[in-house]
Amino acid sequence: MRRGHLTIFACTDPETLSGLNWLICYLTTGKHLLFYAAFGTVLLLLAITAPAAMAFGFGGAMAARSRIAPLRWFGKGYIAVVRGVPDIAFFLFFVIALDQGIEYVRHKIKCPDWDQPVRQGSDFLVCQAAKMPLGNSPQWVHESYGFALAVLTFAIVFGAFAANVLFGAMAAVPRGQVETAEAYGMTSRQTFWRITVPQMWIYALPGLGNLWMVLIKATPLLFLLGVEDIVYWARELGAAKTPRFTDYPHPDWRMWYFLALLVFYLAFTRVSEIVLARLTRRLSYGQATAGGEAMRRAQA
Amino acid sequence: MIDCLDTIADYGLRSLGYGERLLPRSDFTLCQQVTLIGSGMIWNVYFGLLALIAGFGLATVVAVGKASSKRWARKPAEWFIFLFRGSPLFIQFFFGYFLFLSLKQVSSAFDAFASAWAGALVVLFLNTAAYTGEIFYGALQSVPRGDQEAAEAYGLTGWRKFRRITWPTMLRLAWPAYTNEAIFLFHATTLVFFTGFPAVQQRGDALYYASYFADKTFNPFVPYPILAGFFILLTLCIIAIMGAVNRRLNRHLPQAATRRPRLLPQIIR
């Protein structure tokens, strides 16, 4: 009983601690718990962005295949421009552009009788009611709005990469399959949804798997978008602390914090790699590809 | 027009520290933005070009190591590739910067590495060597068996066989993917000044100046498209140069069999 008592109250006076006890207490301070929670932010970002980027990608690929010329130009332009320009430039651009775009639309709707120009020199002025989020909103609304903008930005940028992969995959479905569908009298819409889309995944999987890895490795860029993510906390917690400001003074430990992040990402990508390899095996089953053929031979 | 020439004279080499010291603070003209962002491109080209050339050499060694049947050569190469391909470049920059800061305390030999021109270059060099090494390794595995056998039939062995048969074929097979890697390496150079590495006296790269203008004018619709224009231009240059090399590597083949390098989706960071 006494021992349990001791460990619970051990962290109240850090100066008396030493060795392992000090480390345990240090690693469970309030700010460290926020740091650990930030890993959840990264996973949440991935969980939302991956399907959103897929949706953007699917839309982009369909647009690029469209028979309507302007739509096709838009789809191809979307793919080409996002791929031709550094992704960080897009992140920095879209976060401001989306924010201003949303405020501008709200401004036009909510304050129709506003007569001053929105852009005055170096200022972007909209009426109070159009501010997003509203000036008097609580802190968590501001944070969620920032996070939502980040998610949308990620989805737009990675949607272009996904569009490229899906566009290629749709074209890779054997021509004979499509021709057979046409011979059975299917319309082009039916052919697309019943023949092309179900079969394209095996061709898209290597590209999408790679994209997933790229997406994982892009998550630290949240830091640039102003979200308090793991990079933010690693910098914050690792910086040298003097006894005046903290109970746990230490020299500059940022190197070790970033080493920990490095290990986290290595483990994450490794696990993803293994899962993707299994998924590829599952999807290859019964397919008219080299992989599927090899599995068929192994069974025969 | 005359104004703009003055601006170019003042800010054309600003990213290297020559010309006007103070950056424009208000009444930004289009000419100023184009000039300064273009000036920043010098750093992007510097980082990209040197890392690419140095990385090419190390990548060959790493690829040969990974393809080796000897454990002592294979394992380090595999770990090197895993380490740099499995983690974000952004984190590698941060880790590298703080590592060099710590090493600076130990020895003044590391002073230079705590600044961007050397430290970030080392990180980029190792990173691109790992990505290129994996590409070269894949190409090495697909060198046709017949080529090797023909070489042996001609009495070529060991280093001479590698130098004259295996290596050129590997390059030829890897070239389209390598072109892609080069493009994304140049894109990755924009990260440098957004990690720990400081831009001393506001001497930064193209994205550094673009975000400077976007912050000051609160208008992203001018500086970022300018930056995009510069990068699309740079990408076209890379494709042209790499395409010329590709044609030379494939010049002995029937022309119908050669393909133009395409932007392959596989190797992006």
Side-chain angles (χ1 to χ4, degrees):
Chain A
M1 283 307 287
R2 254 194 91 71
R3 289 193 54 177
H5 209 70
L6 264 176
T7 41
I8 288 169
F9 291 98
C11 295
T12 47
D13 193 6
E15 287 190 20
T16 61
L17 295 171
S18 64
L20 193 63
N21 271 341
W22 187 90
L23 195 65
I24 291 170
C25 287
Y26 171 69
L27 289 177
T28 50
T29 56
K31 284 197 169 178
H32 272 89
L33 295 181
L34 285 173
F35 175 49
Y36 305 140
F39 284 94
T41 310
V42 169
L43 297 181
L44 184 67
L45 176 85
L46 280 170
I48 303 174
T49 309
M54 279 295 284
F56 273 82
F58 201 80
M62 274 175 69
R65 277 169 64 92
S66 169
R67 260 171 305 181
I68 306 160
L71 200 59
R72 191 168 63 236
W73 296 332
F74 172 77
K76 295 207 162 164
Y78 171 53
I79 295 173
V81 168
V82 175
R83 282 175 51 76
V85 177
D87 48 2
I88 323 134
F90 267 95
F91 288 134
L92 297 178
F93 169 77
F94 271 119
V95 160
I96 313 179
L98 284 174
D99 187 38
Q100 292 189 351
I102 292 169
E103 286 196 345
Y104 183 75
V105 170
R106 282 169 61 91
H107 174 81
K108 283 282 164 207
I109 295 168
K110 299 214 168 186
C111 314
D113 40 316
W114 187 273
D115 53 354
Q116 286 163 348
V118 169
R119 228 176 249 297
Q120 299 176 9
S122 297
D123 289 316
F124 183 82
L125 291 173
V126 291
C127 62
Q128 279 303 317
K131 283 262 191 291
M132 188 74 188
L134 293 169
N136 54 6
S137 304
Q139 180 63 23
W140 71 267
V141 174
H142 283 267
E143 280 174 13
S144 319
Y145 179 67
F147 186 73
L149 276 186
V151 167
L152 193 54
T153 308
F154 265 77
I156 292 173
V157 173
F158 284 93
F161 290 110
N164 196 35
V165 172
L166 293 180
F167 182 75
M170 287 174 189
V173 172
R175 184 87 199 106
Q177 296 280 335
V178 177
E179 277 169 5
T180 310
E182 280 163 359
Y184 272 94
M186 287 191 191
T187 62
S188 60
R189 175 176 302 227
Q190 283 173 327
T191 312
F192 179 72
W193 286 109
R194 296 187 188 176
I195 306 296
T196 309
V197 171
Q199 289 194 53
M200 71 179 188
W201 299 108
I202 184 62
Y203 302 100
L205 194 65
L208 290 181
N210 183 58
L211 200 59
W212 168 252
M213 305 295 239
V214 178
L215 187 60
I216 292 176
K217 287 185 270 172
T219 48
L221 297 177
L222 268 182
F223 170 70
L224 293 180
L225 310 185
V227 177
E228 291 188 1
D229 74 331
I230 46 182
V231 176
Y232 171 86
W233 284 113
R235 272 166 58 109
E236 196 80 346
L237 293 168
K241 301 273 186 345
T242 54
R244 270 184 63 189
F245 297 107
T246 171
D247 293 335
Y248 300 94
H250 62 76
D252 189 348
W253 281 354
R254 283 177 294 188
M255 187 174 101
W256 304 112
Y257 277 88
F258 278 100
L259 187 64
L261 292 191
L262 217 57
V263 172
F264 165 72
Y265 277 106
L266 284 174
F268 199 176
T269 48
R270 186 85 194 108
V271 169
S272 298
E273 230 168 49
I274 293 169
V275 171
L276 282 168
R278 287 205 179 157
L279 199 62
T280 309
R281 267 186 65 81
R282 276 286 290 279
L283 284 184
S284 296
Y285 189 76
Q287 287 281 351
T289 59
E293 184 65 15
M295 284 171 78
R296 194 187 61 77
R297 283 226 197 91
Q299 279 181 356
Chain B
M1 192 58 215
I2 300 295
D3 276 1
C4 191
L5 286 177
D6 284 347
T7 307
I8 292 174
D10 284 345
Y11 289 118
L13 294 174
R14 175 62 180 77
S15 64
L16 301 179
Y18 299 107
E20 193 66 39
R21 252 181 72 82
L22 284 177
L23 293 184
R25 294 189 173 272
S26 58
D27 306 322
F28 306 92
T29 63
L30 192 64
C31 179
Q32 283 174 337
Q33 305 202 16
V34 173
T35 309
L36 260 174
I37 294 172
S39 167
M41 286 299 286
I42 296 172
W43 279 114
N44 295 105
V45 172
Y46 162 83
F47 283 126
L49 207 60
L50 290 191
L52 199 66
I53 292 169
F56 181 84
L58 183 58
T60 309
V61 176
V62 168
V64 172
K66 190 173 174 180
S68 166
S69 57
K70 294 184 184 66
R71 206 182 146 78
W72 60 264
R74 196 175 66 241
K75 282 291 159 193
E78 278 176 359
W79 273 96
F80 176 74
I81 289 176
F82 172 62
L83 195 66
F84 281 94
R85 288 186 79 226
S87 60
L89 179 62
F90 196 56
I91 304 287
Q92 287 166 22
F93 272 133
F94 270 115
F95 177 71
Y97 176 63
F98 294 125
L99 177 73
F100 290 135
L101 272 190
S102 309
L103 289 175
K104 205 174 150 183
Q105 315 279 321
V106 181
S107 157
S108 63
F110 290 101
D111 279 1
F113 291 102
S115 51
W117 69 268
L121 187 61
V122 168
V123 177
L124 272 171
F125 154 62
L126 293 175
N127 186 280
T128 190
Y131 276 88
T132 312
E134 181 68 23
I135 295 172
F136 284 179
Y137 166 73
L140 214 50
Q141 299 298 85
S142 359
V143 172
R145 184 89 205 97
D147 287 21
Q148 308 265 11
E149 282 164 3
E152 277 156 24
Y154 273 99
L156 293 174
T157 50
W159 168 249
R160 266 162 54 96
K161 185 178 103 181
F162 178 77
R163 169 70 193 82
R164 301 183 63 169
I165 307 295
T166 315
W167 192 65
T169 311
M170 175 198 89
L171 278 188
R172 181 170 66 79
L173 295 175
W175 209 256
Y178 185 54
T179 304
N180 213 24
E181 160 62 19
I183 292 168
F184 283 107
L185 173 68
F186 276 91
H187 288 185
T189 57
T190 51
L191 271 176
V192 171
F193 292 102
F194 287 85
T195 55
F197 291 102
V200 184
Q201 292 167 352
Q202 296 182 311
R203 297 180 205 162
D205 76 327
L207 188 62
Y208 175 85
Y209 289 121
S211 77
Y212 171 84
F213 284 118
D215 284 349
K216 293 282 175 198
T217 61
F218 206 57
N219 180 1
F221 297 97
V222 178
Y224 289 121
I226 293 173
L227 177 84
F230 274 119
F231 263 95
I232 287 170
L233 220 60
L234 182 65
T235 306
L236 291 177
C237 288
I238 297 168
I239 290 177
I241 294 170
M242 298 298 259
V245 176
N246 191 50
R247 274 193 298 283
R248 180 157 172 86
L249 285 172
N250 286 306
R251 71 190 186 284
H252 60 290
L253 294 177
Q255 283 311 300
T258 61
R259 286 179 302 137
R260 280 180 54 223
R262 289 174 298 127
L263 282 170
L264 307 172
Q266 265 75 340
I267 335 283
I268 41 183
R269 284 192 170 76

